[in-house]
Amino acid sequence: RLGYILQALRQHDIKEDDTSVRRFLHRDTDMYRMDAEVIVTFSDFEKMERICCILLEKLDKSVSVGTPEFYHSAECLSQMRLRACVSAVENAQMKASKVSQLLGQSLGPPLLVREDETKEWRNNEDNGGGEQGSAAPSHFPILPAVTASSQVSVSFSLRDTSRKMR
């Protein structure tokens, strides 16, 4: 059975680096029993579902497929933080542009851009409440959600638009 599982993973292009196998040998009176645990890291949810379905269909009840555990990779979190910061700078620029128009000025280039604070919230850190997924049955895996915010300070130069018209 272990060979079939590993073969199924290889056939679906799962790299060996994304798979770990642990074997446990037990002695019950005069018999030996080996249990194996296969842990696979997937980056493609649909591929994970396909492989789980294949294993559940083809293997007998002595094999159990555990509930998946979801998490965000370090690269994914880094990209999310970057998007939050870029969005904060874009928002600051848009506000500064509107204010400069009210003052009869045009917005010049930024003089200083500084990220003051970054915050992250994860759904497993919530304190209950009516959050998304709280009504899901307990046998469904909890999908991790991460929210990021970025507070920035941006200073722009201003140009007098009345001088350009003359």
Side-chain angles (χ1 to χ4, degrees):
R1 291 180 201 124
L2 180 58
Y4 179 81
I5 293 169
L6 297 175
Q7 179 185 0
L9 294 173
R10 281 191 301 273
Q11 288 174 342
H12 286 85
D13 299 322
I14 303 299
K15 299 175 191 159
E16 276 189 43
D17 292 347
D18 294 330
T19 306
S20 72
V21 179
R22 293 179 19 186
R23 293 172 175 87
F24 305 95
L25 190 61
H26 304 281
R27 183 176 180 174
D28 295 328
T29 58
D30 291 339
M31 289 180 47
Y32 288 93
R33 181 184 88 231
M34 185 181 75
D35 294 332
E37 175 184 70
V38 180
I39 298 175
V40 183
T41 302
F42 290 94
S43 57
D44 181 341
F45 182 79
E46 290 177 3
K47 185 182 284 191
M48 185 260 321
E49 283 184 320
R50 277 194 308 274
I51 291 175
C52 285
C53 287
I54 289 168
L55 295 176
L56 288 170
E57 285 176 15
K58 301 291 183 188
L59 299 171
D60 61 24
K61 294 193 187 309
S62 67
V63 175
S64 65
V65 177
T67 303
E69 295 179 25
F70 297 97
Y71 66 93
H72 292 89
S73 68
E75 180 183 336
C76 175
L77 292 173
S78 179
Q79 289 174 356
M80 180 195 59
R81 288 183 207 106
L82 176 63
R83 286 193 310 267
C85 182
V86 167
S87 180
V89 171
E90 288 171 347
N91 288 340
Q93 183 179 23
M94 185 173 50
K95 288 178 183 179
S97 179
K98 298 239 185 235
V99 170
S100 68
Q101 289 173 3
L102 286 172
L103 299 173
Q105 307 279 315
S106 67
L107 194 62
L111 302 172
L112 172 70
V113 178
R114 182 180 67 233
E115 186 173 33
D116 297 326
E117 183 178 33
T118 302
K119 291 183 183 176
E120 286 180 24
W121 297 268
R122 299 170 191 263
N123 64 339
N124 59 350
E125 296 171 357
D126 291 338
N127 295 327
E131 291 297 318
Q132 224 181 34
S134 62
S138 61
H139 63 277
F140 287 128
I142 296 173
L143 297 176
V146 180
T147 304
S149 73
S150 179
Q151 181 179 348
V152 296
S153 297
V154 184
S155 298
F156 292 95
S157 62
L158 295 176
R159 293 187 213 130
D160 188 359
T161 53
S162 62
R163 289 185 194 172
K164 290 181 181 177
M165 295 180 174
R166 291 183 183 181

